[in-house]
Structures are given as C-alpha cells and as structure tokens.
Amino acid sequence: MRLAYYRPTPVGAWPFEGMEVHVKDFPAEAEHWSRGRARQAGMACAACGEVDFRRDRSEDKPETLPFEVPGPDGELRFECGGCRPEFIDQDAVPAQR
C-alpha cells in the first residue's frame, strides 16, 4: 500500500517555500489494519488521531490531507491539515504545539 503525502519545504519551517510530494510504502495488508494498528504504524494523524489517511483523506477536504512534519521528539510524522492549518491556508497562523 502506498501513501502520498506533502512535505513542507524546508522541513518544519514556517513560513515554508513550498510543498514536495512524497510517497511512502506500507505493507499490502496495511489497508486492512484496524484504526488503532494504523495509528501505531503512523498512518493516522499523530496530533489528533482522528484522521486515518488510508480512508479519510480527500482532495475536496484539505484538512484531511497528510503532511510530514517533525514531532516533539524531532522524528518526522504525519499530521492532518486540520492540525496544521498553516499548510492549507497561507494566511493561517501555525497551530499551537
């Protein structure tokens, strides 16, 4: 299973200069994992846990799109546009961390 996502460039910076599109491969069976297992594997929003990027993402709803950003520990993780409004609206203020 492949997951396409956006990476703000430069990574973690705001304001950023643009977005790069990347693809991450997951095992084929990942499509059938429970939401909890998918969350553990990093396939759901790491900030809110509400958006499952396998099923919930939609071009019509930018708040459901995955963005790869550094987490509190510095590791890159996926967060949804709802948790990172600055990535879907240039005039938005970065979300509180």
Side-chain angles (χ1 to χ4, degrees):
M1 179 183 168
R2 304 184 96 187
L3 174 64
Y5 60 92
Y6 296 97
R7 180 184 288 171
T9 306
V11 176
W14 190 90
F16 49 89
E17 295 182 13
M19 294 282 177
E20 295 175 356
V21 177
H22 291 261
V23 175
K24 185 170 183 175
D25 288 312
F26 289 94
E29 63 270 11
E31 189 172 339
H32 305 290
W33 286 345
S34 68
R35 288 180 80 90
R37 174 70 180 98
R39 191 175 304 120
Q40 288 177 336
M43 300 176 78
C45 178
C48 69
E50 298 288 315
V51 179
D52 182 337
F53 298 123
R54 299 169 304 164
R55 297 181 180 91
D56 300 335
R57 70 182 185 279
S58 168
E59 294 291 329
D60 297 334
K61 296 180 181 177
E63 64 274 11
T64 65
L65 298 177
F67 296 89
E68 187 179 50
V69 297
D73 56 3
E75 294 283 324
L76 292 175
R77 65 189 199 165
F78 295 125
E79 290 187 15
C80 67
C83 291
R84 291 293 189 143
E86 67 271 24
F87 296 153
I88 57 176
D89 178 359
Q90 294 289 328
D91 297 323
V93 176
Q96 291 291 331
R97 296 282 117 198

